[in-house]
Amino acid sequence: MTTLNYEFFYTWVQSNLNIQLGAYKEKQLQRRIQTIMRQAGAETLEEYSELIGGSLSVKKQFLDYITINVTEFFRNKDLFDNFEHLLTTDLSKKFESISIWSAACSIGAEPYSLAMIVDRHDLPLKRNILATDIDETILAKARTGIFKDQDLKNVSIIDKSTYFKEVDRTFVLDEKIKNKVDFKKHDLILDTYQKHFHVIVCRNVTIYFKNEIKEEIYKRMGQSLVKGGLLFTGATETIYQPEQYGLRKVASFIYEKIE
Ligand SMILES: C[S@@+](CC[C@H](N)C(=O)[O-])C[C@H]1O[C@@H](n2cnc3c(N)ncnc32)[C@H](O)[C@@H]1O
C-alpha cells in the first residue's frame, strides 16, 4: 500500500482551495480523505489533487465530504427548548434588540430555526440573523429555503403548518422567515469575526477541529459577544474552563459572556 503524502495535499488544498486542513482532527480527516479519494478513482494524493483541480464536480464532492454538513431544524430539541427559554426571558429582558450569528450553519436549518423563534416571540432584531459557513454550495442550498421532510422532524405541527408549504414532497419555507436571515461565506479559522453579537450559535463544527483551533475559536467568539450575550454550542461541545474566554456556563451547552 502506498504511503499517502498528506503534507503535499494539505499545502495544495491551502493554496488552491483556501482551506486549512491542518486545523482538523488528523485521524478522522485522513480517513475521510482516503475514502473520498478512492471513490474518485485516485491512488495517490498527487493524483487526487489533479482530479480536484481538473473537475468542478470532483472538487464539489471533495468539499461536501470533508466539511460534513449534517443538520436539522431544532437539532437536539431539548437543548434548543432550553435555549429558546433563555432567549425569550433573560436575554430579551436585558436588551432592547438583539443581533444573532449562526456560525457553520450548513443548509440553514439552524438559522431558520432561530428565525422561527424570533418570529414566534416577536423578538426585536437589531439586524438580520447572520448565517455563515465555509461551504458556498450549501449556502446556495440554504438560500433556497427548500427542505426535506426528515430535516423537519423536530418542527412542531403548528410551526410546520405556519412556516412551510408542502410542494412535491418538499417543504418550502415562508418568505417572512427567509427574509430574516442573511447567508455569507465565512471560515471560522481564517476569517475575522464580526463583533457586538447578543447571541452566537456555533454547533457541531468545533468537534472536527484540533484543541488549539477550538480554543482560538471560543476565544474569538467570546470577544464577539457583548456582555450578557449567549453562546450556544453542540450537544458534545462542552467548553472547559469557560472563564478563560470571559464566559460562564448558564445551562447545558449554553454560556454567557461575563466581562
Ligand atoms: C455538522 S454541520 C453543523 C450544522 C449546524 N450548525 C448544526 O449543528 O446542525 C458542520 C458545518 O460546519 C461547516 N464548516 C466546516 N469547517 C468550517 C470552517 N472552517 N468554517 C466555517 N464552517 C465550517 C461545514 O461546511 C458544515 O456545514
Side-chain angles (χ1 to χ4, degrees):
M1 200 166 146
T2 31
T3 316
L4 296 174
N5 188 350
Y6 286 106
E7 206 178 306
F8 155 79
F9 190 65
Y10 288 11
T11 312
W12 187 88
V13 169
Q14 170 83 58
S15 41
N16 290 274
L17 308 178
N18 200 26
I19 294 180
Q20 205 177 323
L21 291 181
Y24 294 76
K25 282 184 188 154
E26 203 161 296
K27 280 199 184 124
Q28 206 180 28
L29 177 73
Q30 294 185 352
R31 252 196 329 265
R32 295 183 76 76
I33 292 175
Q34 280 179 43
T35 310
I36 191 72
M37 174 188 104
R38 302 241 147 84
Q39 269 175 29
E43 284 298 319
T44 66
L45 286 168
E46 286 81 353
E47 227 175 282
Y48 187 40
S49 64
E50 274 175 31
L51 291 180
I52 296 176
S55 153
L56 278 181
S57 72
V58 178
K59 176 175 154 189
K60 182 178 170 312
Q61 202 179 34
F62 168 69
L63 290 175
D64 282 356
Y65 195 73
I66 289 304
T67 52
I68 312 164
N69 41 39
V70 180
T71 189
E72 62 188 8
F73 280 81
F74 302 100
R75 187 168 186 177
N76 312 111
K77 182 82 171 61
D78 297 354
L79 298 178
F80 235 104
D81 286 348
N82 283 346
F83 182 67
E84 176 167 354
H85 179 73
L86 280 175
L87 202 62
T88 54
T89 53
D90 294 22
L91 197 90
S92 40
K93 268 194 217 126
K94 276 191 277 191
F95 302 106
E96 265 176 24
S97 61
I98 56 173
S99 55
I100 302 177
W101 176 22
S102 166
C105 67
S106 184
I107 55 168
E110 182 176 276
Y112 287 141
S113 300
L114 296 166
M116 279 156 60
I117 293 175
V118 164
D119 188 72
R120 268 199 254 122
H121 298 274
D122 212 7
L123 299 177
L125 284 181
K126 217 181 232 341
R127 51 187 152 124
N128 266 0
I129 295 170
L130 173 67
T132 60
D133 201 281
I134 194 176
D135 183 347
E136 304 246 36
T137 313
I138 52 164
L139 287 174
K141 186 165 170 15
R143 287 187 192 100
T144 65
I146 300 173
F147 293 91
K148 296 196 205 92
D149 197 19
Q150 75 214 47
D151 302 326
L152 272 64
K153 74 177 194 315
N154 293 332
V155 177
S156 67
I157 294 172
I158 174 107
D159 278 352
K160 210 165 169 176
S161 63
T162 311
Y163 296 122
F164 294 89
K165 208 192 299 161
E166 191 172 348
V167 182
D168 297 334
R169 283 191 286 157
T170 64
F171 289 81
V172 181
L173 187 64
D174 194 288
E175 287 295 313
K176 180 169 73 162
I177 299 300
K178 269 176 75 176
N179 290 338
K180 288 188 194 304
V181 182
D182 289 338
F183 290 96
K184 201 177 147 203
K185 182 174 189 273
H186 178 270
D187 183 334
L188 285 165
I189 299 162
L190 296 175
D191 293 332
T192 52
Y193 292 17
Q194 287 184 31
K195 293 223 184 320
H196 310 299
F197 287 106
H198 302 87
V199 172
I200 299 178
V201 178
C202 180
R203 309 185 68 215
N204 305 299
V205 64
T206 63
I207 33 164
Y208 302 114
F209 297 137
K210 289 178 180 163
N211 280 341
E212 60 272 26
I213 301 291
K214 206 183 293 193
E215 284 162 16
E216 183 61 24
I217 289 176
Y218 289 139
K219 183 173 139 206
R220 295 170 75 192
M221 291 204 160
Q223 291 165 349
S224 283
L225 279 171
V226 300
K227 190 175 168 195
L230 296 176
L231 169 64
F232 183 22
T233 64
T236 54
E237 295 168 328
T238 299
I239 302 182
Y240 297 101
Q241 298 177 305
E243 302 72 28
Q244 61 183 314
Y245 312 115
L247 301 168
R248 79 179 168 105
K249 184 175 174 176
V250 285
S252 299
F253 308 105
I254 303 174
Y255 301 84
E256 184 190 26
K257 174 77 184 289
I258 44 174
E259 57 193 51

